[in-house]
Amino acid sequence: MHQNNRWKTVIQYTAGIVIVALCITAAMFLPEQYAQWSDEQTIGKVTLSKRDTIEFLNIEKLDIEKRLEMLQNADDFYFLANDGPMMYLSSDAEFIEMSKRLIGGWCEAGLLPESCERLLSEAMGDVEQYSYQVELYPVWWYGIFGDYEEQGMLPMLTVRVSDEYGMCNLIFAMDPEVEVLYWAVFSGDMAVQQIIKELGYGSSDEAERYLQEHGELQEPQVEPREIDFAAAFGAKSAQVHEEPDLFEITAKLTFDTFEAEAMRCLTWANGGTPGIAAMYGTDKGARYITELFAMQGAVAECISTEEFLEMTKNEGMQEKEEAYSYNE
């Protein structure tokens, strides 16, 4: 009995070897016929695997992080105007909706005041009445890595939105291929009102009265602000640094494979109008703004809280009538 079982086992192994050899031969010399036979054997059958071994990649998030990583790691960079047609956005409607989502996200994160979102919504919905002006400036960013041995380039679209009086301006740089903002500048009367409020002076009227009585504003008393830098730039986390007597805030961003910085500060733009700037990067971010404004024949630079207060001391806070539906 034991002898019969042993021969049975030998025969099964031998048959298995022969079948494997035949399959290999068929696959080598008759690939089409073998593939058809293999499909017939597996069709209708489902192969299961453990769910926890499958990890799905967020392709859009990966793409955005790669771009931000390029901006962070570049040893130097420069901009060139993109004179060709912008083919990245397929329609005006797509551009408008993307712009609203991006600016709305930064307003929700606290980088920009809510009045920016209302300004953009009114401007984008009012193109036929020409009460607002919307201008687009497509450029290429060229990054230089490792002693000019490597270069990378990214498309950027600078968008300028202003009211018919030119007293409220929102300028921002977005990527036309993926949904990410690189920087934004909000200047004009509404920006000044927000700055005065955050510095602890109440309203612009209150600050003006105090200036008339004392000649200069007292030391700022900035309340802690809830600004979500991580959400604004899609980072895993952010370590925020601010001081109670300064408007500017910096943050250290942590992504999956690298770390970067971001900043929110005061700006001086368009012939002396103060504003609020939010940007990816600190020194590089400030340089992005300066150079892209210069390409449009305009001026913008980041300023300190002390410089802003010096401007108010010399020029005063001349409040203008609020005649905009997006005013707070």
Side-chain angles (χ1 to χ4, degrees):
M1 184 69 176
H2 179 72
Q3 186 74 9
N4 290 336
N5 288 338
R6 188 180 65 179
W7 280 109
K8 184 177 180 181
T9 301
V10 171
I11 292 172
Q12 289 176 342
Y13 274 109
T14 303
I17 293 172
V18 171
I19 292 172
V20 171
L22 289 173
C23 289
I24 293 174
T25 303
M28 292 175 60
F29 297 101
L30 300 171
E32 294 182 2
Q33 290 81 353
Y34 175 79
Q36 181 178 357
W37 173 82
S38 178
D39 290 342
E40 291 174 354
Q41 299 303 308
T42 58
I43 192 168
K45 296 182 181 180
V46 179
T47 301
L48 299 178
S49 61
K50 291 183 179 180
R51 182 178 178 83
D52 58 6
T53 62
I54 302 175
E55 185 173 348
F56 296 95
L57 294 176
N58 187 333
I59 301 301
E60 182 182 24
K61 180 175 182 292
L62 186 65
D63 199 12
I64 291 175
E65 285 197 8
K66 184 62 177 177
R67 293 164 191 249
L68 293 176
E69 188 173 9
M70 285 178 62
L71 294 174
Q72 169 65 25
N73 293 337
D75 298 310
D76 199 2
F77 64 88
Y78 59 95
F79 292 101
L80 287 178
N82 182 356
D83 297 326
M86 290 294 290
M87 301 300 294
Y88 312 105
L89 298 165
S90 60
S91 66
D92 291 341
E94 180 185 353
F95 160 69
I96 291 172
E97 290 306 313
M98 184 184 295
S99 298
K100 288 181 178 180
R101 284 194 299 270
L102 290 170
I103 293 298
W106 275 29
C107 291
E108 184 177 352
L111 268 73
L112 296 173
E114 293 181 358
S115 48
C116 288
E117 188 173 8
R118 294 196 294 273
L119 169 66
L120 184 63
S121 295
E122 290 194 8
M124 294 299 189
D126 195 40
V127 291
E128 295 182 358
Q129 298 183 28
Y130 302 102
S131 297
Y132 299 89
Q133 187 174 12
V134 179
E135 300 172 274
L136 307 181
Y137 299 91
V139 300
W140 288 106
W141 172 89
Y142 287 87
I144 302 169
F145 305 86
D147 297 328
Y148 293 82
E149 294 179 0
E150 295 181 89
Q151 290 196 46
M153 71 180 197
L154 291 174
M156 289 188 184
L157 180 62
T158 302
V159 183
R160 180 188 296 270
V161 180
S162 57
D163 62 16
E164 60 181 328
Y165 304 106
M167 297 172 61
C168 195
N169 299 277
L170 174 63
I171 303 98
F172 57 94
M174 60 185 285
D175 192 301
E177 296 180 335
V178 297
E179 291 200 26
V180 60
L181 275 179
Y182 296 118
W183 59 262
V185 172
F186 182 51
S187 62
D189 289 350
M190 292 301 299
V192 171
Q193 292 178 37
Q194 180 67 24
I195 294 167
I196 291 297
K197 179 180 177 181
E198 289 191 29
L199 289 176
Y201 300 126
S203 66
S204 295
D205 285 335
E206 292 173 321
E208 181 66 33
R209 286 195 297 269
Y210 192 93
L211 274 171
Q212 291 176 356
E213 295 175 4
H214 300 87
E216 61 181 348
L217 295 172
Q218 60 186 348
E219 289 296 313
Q221 295 295 323
V222 182
E223 295 292 331
R225 291 159 287 183
E226 296 183 1
I227 299 181
D228 195 343
F229 282 91
F233 294 101
K236 293 175 62 177
S237 63
Q239 292 181 326
V240 179
H241 174 74
E242 61 177 318
E243 298 182 19
D245 58 344
L246 298 179
F247 184 90
E248 51 263 32
I249 305 175
T250 58
K252 181 179 180 181
L253 306 175
T254 300
F255 294 88
D256 288 331
T257 59
F258 70 101
E259 293 182 342
E261 295 177 333
M263 180 170 64
R264 182 176 185 263
C265 65
L266 298 171
T267 188
W268 180 89
N270 295 335
T273 305
I276 300 170
M279 68 199 74
Y280 178 72
T282 50
D283 294 339
K284 286 182 180 178
R287 184 178 156 196
Y288 296 154
I289 293 175
T290 299
E291 294 192 8
L292 287 175
F293 265 72
M295 291 181 70
Q296 302 160 29
V299 176
E301 61 180 279
C302 292
I303 61 174
S304 66
T305 305
E306 291 80 5
E307 289 173 313
F308 172 78
L309 294 177
E310 189 68 22
M311 291 170 60
T312 62
K313 181 173 64 175
N314 294 335
E315 300 175 12
M317 301 296 303
Q318 297 179 357
E319 179 78 355
K320 299 180 178 60
E321 290 294 328
E322 300 179 9
Y324 311 107
S325 61
Y326 53 82
N327 286 2
E328 294 179 329

